[in-house]
Amino acid sequence: MGLVARLMRALTDPDFTPEDEDRHPDLSQVSDEELGSLLATAYRVDGSATHATRLVRYALEKAAADRQPRYTPDACRRMFEALAERCEKHGWADLTRGLDALERCTGPLPDVSEPACVLVGLWLEKEPVRQPYALLAVAGLAGDETLRAAVEHLARDVGPIVAEEMAVIAGLTPAERALLSEINRDHGFVDAPLAHVWRRAADSPAYVAFARRALEAAADRTDAIRTGEIPYRADKAFTDREITSLGQALRVALLRDEPWLPELLERLLPGVALAPTAAKTLPSQALLYEVVRAAQDFPTPELVTAIRTVRRTVRHAGVPKQLDKMIKKVDAALAERTDVALRLPRLGFDTASISGSVAGGVLRRTVGDYQAVVLVAETATLTWEKDGRPLRSVPAPVRRDHAALVKELRDLVKRVNAQLVTLVRALEGGFTVDAVHPYGWWRTELAGHPLARTLVRRLIWEVEVAPDEWRSVLPETDEHLPDAPHDASVRLWHPLRSEPHAVRAWRDLLTERCIRQPFKQAFREIYLLTPAEEQTRVYSNRFAAHLVHYLKMFALFRARGWGSDRLGPWDCGDDGRAERTLAAGEWRVRFFHSWADWAGDDELASTDQVRFDRRVGSAWREAPLADVPPLVFSEAMRDVDLFVGVSSIAADPDWTDGGPRRTYWERASFAELTASAEVRREALEGILPRLKIADRCSLDGRFLIVRGDLGTYKIHLGSANILMAPDDAYLCIVPARRAGDGKVFLPFEDERLSLILSKAFLLAADTKITDESILMQIKRGA
């Protein structure tokens, strides 16, 4: 008996005992068409089947997730019959399975009207009705009468926006209805739809037209609530189903980057977030969150700015905190969407000279005898002048007679600062897609833009001055930009693409000129594949086996745009993974970790493997590490290094637990330097000679050596923990949150580097230490 026959019998004959190899079959021997036939039978298997039968079904479904099965007309019909049977027996079934079978049918489409009619009837008995798009597609297969009944039922008591949506979808062709059903899969049956699914939906002219009408109707409704035409009721502006429909309409409009959308969102977002009264409630908190979730899928700079603006005006105490969490994911997603991320409005700003040299943006408004000046350097600031002389605060006559203008200007400053934050995140995110821009556009819209230029000038860029000949330039220090055609390519410089001597030269230049970049670029860590990772092939153990403060690491996941379920001491809460998509959604990195234990009131986790997946069609496929693009690999591992380095208990100077935890702490606190610590060491090489304690400091391997009057100290460049000479006694100093002496220039923001310098200044003047706990340790060590 062949494999397919044995599997079919295992699914249908309760008395059949599968062989061991059938319980975990090698389905690479099964064709796509045979797999489809088996799946149509497997869908009838439920919890009452034998354990062996269920194992076969799970194996088939896993194979289907990794492949695209094909279905004969007979298999299509049997799939619909299985769906009807499951729905009748268990109250639900995933309708999209039947639609997928028809889409991949290998012959003439079979007549499935009878089981389709049964399915629709059973589903319409349920409240709420799930997968409405798929239901309409199935209803169309059952005939016009069934389709009309489904539309009438789905449009009942759900609001006019959904009623129109159902009518629009009913008027589509069967193929268009089937395509739209794919975006309606986020109702607890399978994962949320992937980007390519939304692109297919965005190709339907009728649905695109509906999307605009729906969003305009939503904005009109919030306008009517604000004017009192519609009575205000907290969180009742839209029905639940309208919120889902508006979210889907918004995603299609965002994906298409519709030009009418920014102006409409300027109306809609304040309308859903701010009550027309002094109440602290919202017209629709649910729609506000749905808009932000749509922005996580397909962000635009205008929407990100609008969300940040609303976040500052909403009165509900809990909403800003929730929005802050969600915005971090939006920023990360926008950074990946480089086709729109770098778009900035000019907002009436002109270029100006700041401090006599650095060109920035300025906007001036005359108010009587005074002038308001909004200046954009690293951030935007609002100041006031009279007769060219700066004033310390808003003039009293302006505050009294022009309060609205003052508010408008302050809001403008907040808006510009929000856009600058978005721009920085987007520029940095461009590394993983190796973003390239036309040189002419870059000169006018980035390097020459009044809002962007002060950020762009402090970054290193590469211009392709001839085919495959790239010239590096730092606009802040170069009077003249390279001479290249308007269509030449320009991209951000990355140390991974440069020789070590060139990287060192840029780092020295930034330190000498005291130029702090908007994000760590010249001093950026790089991560190359190691021999050990070549051996493990599909996973890296580079950051495995660390003990970390779990809540701190979980917060870092959110801050860097990684998704992760919360772990804890509950069922299925032990093991988890954090993941992030990179390279415009083409690659995914997964960082595995486990909940470990309590440490007092703190929670500990242990770290494990890092793996990478490549997008193949509509699914993810695990990829060998050697196949991952070097920039994608380096940037992903940089994040993981950050997670471990910041949250490891080795970085906790006050750790006192014993046992295995103490053993780990002692090992990791003074271990070999990671890539981030190596960069810290190189930065110190340039910083130390400039310090007033330079004659008391030196670098030795993984330590900064500090000579005090009472003793000599070794500060580890990774953990910032301290050992005392001559016998390496541990010295515990709890951070005082003060960077160096407050005047030390750091070429990049690094809390650990600031902490190391703070400890160095303290210990270089150890005779001035007044903290008795520190003095006792020093004397005991001496």
Side-chain angles (χ1 to χ4, degrees):
M1 187 185 299
L3 174 61
V4 174
R6 292 201 312 272
L7 293 177
M8 187 66 78
R9 188 172 175 189
L11 293 170
T12 57
D13 185 353
D15 297 325
F16 178 71
T17 303
E19 300 176 14
D20 288 342
E21 60 265 30
D22 295 334
R23 300 170 191 266
H24 304 283
D26 178 11
L27 295 175
S28 62
Q29 307 172 43
V30 176
S31 71
D32 290 343
E33 193 169 280
E34 290 170 334
L35 179 59
S37 183
L38 287 166
L39 283 168
T41 302
Y43 201 57
R44 281 191 160 96
V45 174
D46 57 22
S48 63
T50 65
H51 177 66
T53 300
R54 294 201 305 274
L55 284 178
V56 172
R57 177 192 167 183
Y58 297 151
L60 291 168
E61 291 187 334
K62 185 177 185 303
D66 294 335
R67 293 163 56 178
Q68 289 194 334
R70 309 280 290 173
Y71 297 85
T72 63
D74 177 67
C76 289
R77 180 184 50 76
R78 288 192 293 110
M79 177 61 80
F80 270 88
E81 291 171 348
L83 289 170
E85 181 181 309
R86 174 173 284 270
C87 191
E88 189 168 13
K89 186 182 294 186
H90 300 286
W92 69 273
D94 184 1
L95 302 181
T96 59
R97 289 177 181 263
L99 297 173
D100 284 345
L102 290 177
E103 183 181 359
R104 299 171 189 162
C105 185
T106 59
L109 294 182
D111 180 6
V112 294
S113 57
E114 185 176 341
C117 187
V118 172
L119 269 173
V120 173
L122 291 169
W123 270 69
L124 292 182
E125 294 175 0
K126 307 297 179 184
E127 290 295 342
V129 176
R130 297 187 179 276
Q131 295 182 302
Y133 292 4
L135 182 61
L136 289 177
V138 172
L141 299 171
D144 291 343
E145 185 177 343
T146 303
L147 179 60
R148 283 193 298 271
V151 169
E152 181 181 345
H153 185 95
L154 292 173
R156 190 182 304 154
D157 301 325
V158 289
I161 291 174
V162 178
E164 183 190 355
E165 178 188 30
M166 296 300 103
V168 167
I169 294 173
L172 299 177
T173 66
E176 287 178 311
R177 285 198 294 266
L179 284 178
L180 275 179
S181 72
E182 296 189 44
I183 70 172
N184 213 205
R185 295 187 176 195
D186 52 347
H187 291 288
F189 293 96
V190 293
D191 292 337
L194 300 173
H196 81 283
V197 173
W198 287 101
R199 293 189 185 97
R200 294 171 70 178
D203 289 336
S204 169
Y207 189 82
V208 171
F210 160 75
R212 180 172 186 174
R213 293 196 302 273
L215 293 168
E216 287 175 343
D220 290 343
R221 192 182 303 179
T222 58
D223 287 346
I225 292 173
R226 187 179 63 254
T227 60
E229 183 181 341
I230 297 177
Y232 173 68
R233 293 189 301 157
D235 222 10
K236 298 294 184 183
F238 302 94
T239 67
D240 291 344
R241 189 63 187 87
E242 282 182 321
I243 291 166
T244 299
S245 296
L246 289 168
Q248 293 173 172
L250 179 58
R251 285 172 175 83
V252 167
L254 288 169
L255 174 59
R256 294 172 60 88
D257 196 22
E258 293 286 358
W260 48 264
L261 189 57
E263 184 178 350
L264 188 146
L265 289 171
E266 291 287 342
R267 291 170 53 205
L268 179 61
L269 269 176
V272 299
L274 202 62
T277 66
K280 296 182 179 180
T281 53
L282 290 75
S284 182
Q285 180 173 317
L287 182 55
L288 174 61
Y289 289 155
E290 180 64 12
V291 169
V292 183
R293 282 191 290 270
Q296 292 172 353
D297 291 335
F298 303 110
T300 65
E302 296 82 4
L303 178 53
V304 173
T305 300
I307 292 169
R308 280 199 165 94
T309 302
V310 162
R311 180 248 178 264
R312 291 190 296 268
T313 59
V314 67
R315 303 189 191 109
H316 190 291
V319 171
K321 184 176 181 180
Q322 181 65 24
L323 287 179
D324 287 341
K325 294 178 181 178
M326 301 175 76
I327 287 172
K328 291 173 181 176
K329 291 185 178 181
V330 176
D331 283 337
L334 180 59
E336 298 290 330
R337 199 180 178 194
T338 53
D339 56 328
V340 300
L342 305 183
R343 190 167 59 212
L344 276 180
R346 294 185 178 254
L347 301 177
F349 279 79
D350 296 318
T351 57
S353 177
I354 303 172
S355 301
S357 59
V358 180
V362 64
L363 182 145
R364 299 178 181 274
R365 296 282 292 271
T366 300
V367 188
D369 296 333
Y370 304 94
Q371 192 170 58
V373 182
V374 181
L375 203 59
V376 182
E378 290 191 20
T379 60
T381 56
L382 171 62
T383 58
W384 295 86
E385 296 178 355
K386 183 176 182 181
D387 300 327
R389 292 180 293 104
L391 304 176
R392 292 185 176 180
S393 60
V394 183
V398 174
R399 189 167 54 247
R400 182 186 62 241
D401 301 331
H402 302 278
L405 177 61
V406 173
K407 182 179 184 303
E408 176 188 335
L409 291 171
R410 286 174 174 168
D411 288 343
L412 176 64
V413 168
K414 293 176 182 177
R415 180 179 179 185
V416 170
N417 283 331
Q419 290 175 328
L420 294 179
V421 169
T422 300
L423 175 64
V424 169
R425 190 67 185 263
L427 287 169
E428 187 175 16
F431 278 137
T432 65
V433 293
D434 206 7
V436 175
H437 315 287
Y439 187 45
W441 176 89
W442 176 85
R443 293 186 67 159
T444 57
E445 298 304 319
L446 282 181
H449 195 289
L451 303 184
R453 60 191 304 155
T454 57
L455 298 176
V456 171
R457 286 174 60 86
R458 288 180 281 123
L459 292 169
I460 306 166
W461 297 85
E462 289 183 311
V463 182
E464 193 175 26
V465 294
D468 296 324
E469 181 184 339
W470 296 85
R471 176 183 163 187
S472 301
V473 59
L474 177 65
E476 181 76 356
T477 60
D478 289 294
E479 288 187 21
H480 303 290
L481 294 174
D483 186 16
H486 286 290
D487 60 351
S489 296
V490 60
R491 66 187 182 188
L492 272 172
W493 175 91
H494 193 287
L496 189 66
R497 289 192 293 252
S498 295
E499 296 296 328
H501 66 87
V503 176
R504 183 59 184 262
W506 281 120
R507 292 176 177 177
D508 289 345
L509 178 63
L510 291 174
T511 303
E512 290 168 7
R513 300 287 186 92
C514 293
I515 298 173
R516 174 177 282 197
Q517 296 188 289
F519 53 83
K520 192 188 287 188
Q521 185 193 24
F523 285 89
R524 201 171 191 84
E525 306 86 353
I526 60 173
Y527 301 80
L528 303 174
L529 204 62
T530 65
E533 289 162 342
E534 291 175 352
Q535 289 294 318
T536 55
R537 206 175 74 82
V538 295
Y539 65 88
S540 168
N541 276 330
R542 191 185 306 202
F543 299 107
H546 286 275
L547 274 176
V548 299
H549 294 287
Y550 174 63
L551 294 183
K552 183 179 289 188
M553 185 172 73
F554 188 73
L556 287 170
F557 291 159
R558 298 293 180 87
R560 295 294 299 172
W562 288 58
S564 178
D565 290 335
R566 176 77 161 82
L567 302 185
W570 48 74
D571 288 345
C572 302
D574 293 341
D575 298 309
R577 67 186 187 191
E579 61 183 48
R580 180 185 174 190
T581 56
L582 301 164
E586 293 303 309
W587 286 89
R588 179 177 70 176
V589 56
R590 293 177 291 152
F591 174 38
F592 293 83
H593 54 283
S594 304
W595 194 87
D597 203 354
W598 291 100
D601 293 332
D602 197 8
E603 297 178 50
L604 299 182
S606 60
T607 63
D608 208 331
Q609 301 173 354
V610 176
R611 292 175 178 261
F612 288 83
D613 305 308
R614 175 195 279 125
R615 174 91 69 199
V616 179
S618 60
W620 292 108
R621 301 286 185 273
E622 188 168 78
L625 300 181
D627 292 351
V628 182
L631 272 176
V632 172
F633 181 83
S634 184
E635 290 297 300
M637 297 300 273
R638 181 176 183 267
D639 269 3
V640 179
D641 190 358
L642 169 72
F643 301 151
V644 175
V646 172
S647 60
S648 171
I649 65 171
D652 184 349
D654 210 19
W655 188 263
T656 57
D657 279 16
R661 297 175 187 170
R662 183 68 184 187
T663 302
Y664 163 79
W665 183 90
E666 291 172 347
R667 170 175 57 83
S669 287
F670 304 101
E672 292 294 332
L673 301 184
T674 62
S676 59
E678 289 284 3
V679 168
R680 200 174 293 133
R681 187 187 195 283
E682 187 170 339
L684 280 170
E685 289 178 352
I687 294 170
L688 288 178
R690 304 167 182 271
L691 302 181
K692 63 182 181 181
I693 60 171
D695 60 333
R696 289 179 173 265
C697 297
S698 62
L699 290 166
D700 183 10
R702 69 191 81 163
F703 295 97
L704 169 62
I705 310 300
V706 181
R707 180 175 54 81
D709 293 319
L710 302 179
T712 300
Y713 313 92
K714 299 161 62 177
I715 307 175
H716 190 259
L717 300 179
S719 66
N721 288 335
I722 307 166
L723 299 175
M724 295 184 288
D727 59 354
D728 285 350
Y730 175 64
L731 173 60
C732 176
I733 298 179
V734 177
R737 297 192 179 277
R738 183 178 59 197
D741 63 353
K743 301 178 182 178
V744 178
F745 166 76
L746 301 181
F748 53 87
E749 185 177 348
D750 184 341
E751 185 177 345
R752 194 68 52 84
L753 179 57
S754 298
L755 177 59
I756 289 169
L757 287 171
S758 177
K759 291 182 175 181
F761 275 96
L762 177 72
L763 295 171
D766 54 4
T767 56
K768 298 181 181 180
I769 295 175
T770 58
D771 189 303
E772 286 297 327
S773 67
I774 298 176
L775 287 173
M776 287 178 60
Q777 293 178 79
I778 292 175
K779 292 173 182 177
R780 190 162 55 241

